[in-house]
Amino acid sequence: MILVTGGMGYIGSHTVVELQSEGYEVAIIDNLSNSSITVLDGIEAITGQRPFFEQLDLREKSKLQDFFAKYGNIEGVIHFSASKAVGESVKKPLLYYENNLNALVYLLQELLKKSKANFIFSSSCTVYGQADELPITEGAPVKPAESPYGNTKQIGEEIIQDICNVNPNLSAIALRYFNPIGAHPSAQIGEFPLEVPQNLVPFITQTAIGLRKQLSVFGNDYPTTDGTCIRDYIHVVDLAKAHVVSLQRLLENKNDGNYEVFNLGTGKGSSVLEVIQSFERVSGEQLNFKIMNRRRGDVVQAYADTTKANKILRWISKYSLDDAMRSAWEWEKKIRNSN
Ligand code: UD1
């Protein structure tokens, strides 16, 4: 049995689908703070299987202990559950430290009770800040965090590393995501921001469907080809598959040392305007957007060197930016028409 915390969320739900498709039995823990119970229906519609689900907040330590007592056969944990809004983290830092770090500590405490534990951690390319060299390798220095959210990812990695140093029975992989976008091609699951989206792609699709008036493009005077920021946008299904191969690596004891880090991206940078063009191309819609001032805290360019993941995990992203934008649009149309 594989435990997926935050398995009702955006990346978590796509990973549950890929795990089940590979024959794993999955249990989800989620507090539903930023997701809906209907995600289970979407997962079942795709895989024909309903994962075990417990509504539980990982900060409730005794309930987590009860959970592990109930499910004694957990062979691996993929830990997604965390708060992830950068702006909110600046306003409510303590909430972020409590939610993202206490939960991690309690989870690791349970795992250390096992004779062997396999752990996959959701990290972020945000740990690199504005990297000096592009594409960004895993060897690039970790820069001071720009936000409490970013700091929780850095500290989370450090906590896991410190524990791995002294506990050979724990094997962990931290996956540093670049920018996950898109939805499952079936349009049964996808990103469902409950608040006004801060991320580019949900803001684009919500603008096109009429929920938002206009997309603000944050700056076109950056030192890039068209002046807008460059990111490495990766299809969420590709990202989900990388979790499955990472977990398999640990389950088969193929890891090199008990703490490893991998970048997960496509290796290709795209500008904000290229993302908009891709959206317009695949949707046939014309997007209402306006160039505005730069957003505080944005790095100019970030895209991954994916060599390590390609070679060692034997994983490579397959979907294009157009595929991702098409799936994001299909998902947006589906949820707005049915709600
Ligand atoms: C952000 C977070 C990052 C987090 C990631 C995933 C910041 C500084 N970074 O990454 O820590 O891991 O989300 O949740 O917030 N853009 C617009 N208009 C919009 C929204 C975005 O022009 O309305 C631009 C941004 O300036 C940026 C690009 O689109 O150049 C991507 O933005 P976004 O989707 O928010 O992701 P990141 O900022 O890369």
Side-chain angles (χ1 to χ4, degrees), residues 84-87 123-127 146-147 149-150 153 177-181 191 197-204 214-219 222 228-233 270-272 275-276 290 294-300 302:
K84 59 161 192 172
V86 176
S123 191
S124 167
C125 69
T126 193
V127 302
E146 286 274 350
S147 68
Y149 158 75
K153 292 298 173 192
Y177 314 150
F178 282 67
N179 290 54
I181 61 164
E191 190 169 11
Q198 306 300 311
N199 293 116
L200 179 62
V201 172
F203 208 103
I204 289 177
Q214 186 175 62
L215 170 81
S216 302
V217 172
F218 297 135
Y222 285 101
T228 62
C229 292
I230 307 255
R231 296 287 183 276
D232 185 339
Y233 296 94
S270 304
S271 72
V272 177
V275 175
I276 294 172
K290 195 172 171 197
R294 292 179 176 195
R295 179 173 72 175
R296 226 180 119 234
D298 270 341
V299 299
V300 184

Side-chain angles (χ1 to χ4, degrees), residues 76-240:
V77 176
I78 307 184
H79 178 46
F80 291 102
S81 75
S83 303
K84 59 161 192 172
V86 176
E88 184 189 40
S89 81
V90 175
K91 293 193 190 107
K92 301 177 186 168
L94 216 43
L95 175 74
Y96 272 67
Y97 290 117
E98 184 193 33
N99 199 26
N100 294 6
L101 297 179
N102 286 28
L104 174 66
V105 169
Y106 298 157
L107 201 49
L108 290 169
Q109 282 171 337
E110 291 309 307
L111 289 185
L112 290 188
K113 294 176 186 166
K114 293 182 171 288
S115 54
K116 177 164 181 354
N118 300 307
F119 189 69
I120 309 286
F121 179 62
S122 289
S123 191
S124 167
C125 69
T126 193
V127 302
Y128 298 118
Q130 178 58 69
D132 302 321
E133 282 174 38
L134 292 160
I136 304 173
T137 67
E138 290 80 355
V142 168
K143 294 270 177 76
E146 286 274 350
S147 68
Y149 158 75
N151 211 17
T152 65
K153 292 298 173 192
Q154 294 191 6
I155 298 170
E157 286 193 9
E158 286 169 9
I159 290 173
I160 298 164
Q161 209 170 353
D162 287 346
I163 295 169
C164 284
N165 277 337
V166 291
N167 289 284
N169 57 334
L170 177 68
S171 294
I173 292 180
L175 298 174
R176 292 176 176 163
Y177 314 150
F178 282 67
N179 290 54
I181 61 164
H184 195 272
S186 65
Q188 294 287 354
I189 53 171
E191 190 169 11
F192 201 108
L194 296 178
E195 316 268 326
V196 179
Q198 306 300 311
N199 293 116
L200 179 62
V201 172
F203 208 103
I204 289 177
T205 55
Q206 287 196 7
T207 304
I209 207 103
L211 275 179
R212 314 273 156 225
K213 275 210 187 82
Q214 186 175 62
L215 170 81
S216 302
V217 172
F218 297 135
N220 71 344
D221 56 352
Y222 285 101
T224 60
T225 39
D226 63 24
T228 62
C229 292
I230 307 255
R231 296 287 183 276
D232 185 339
Y233 296 94
I234 175 166
H235 196 300
V236 67
V237 172
D238 277 329
L239 194 67

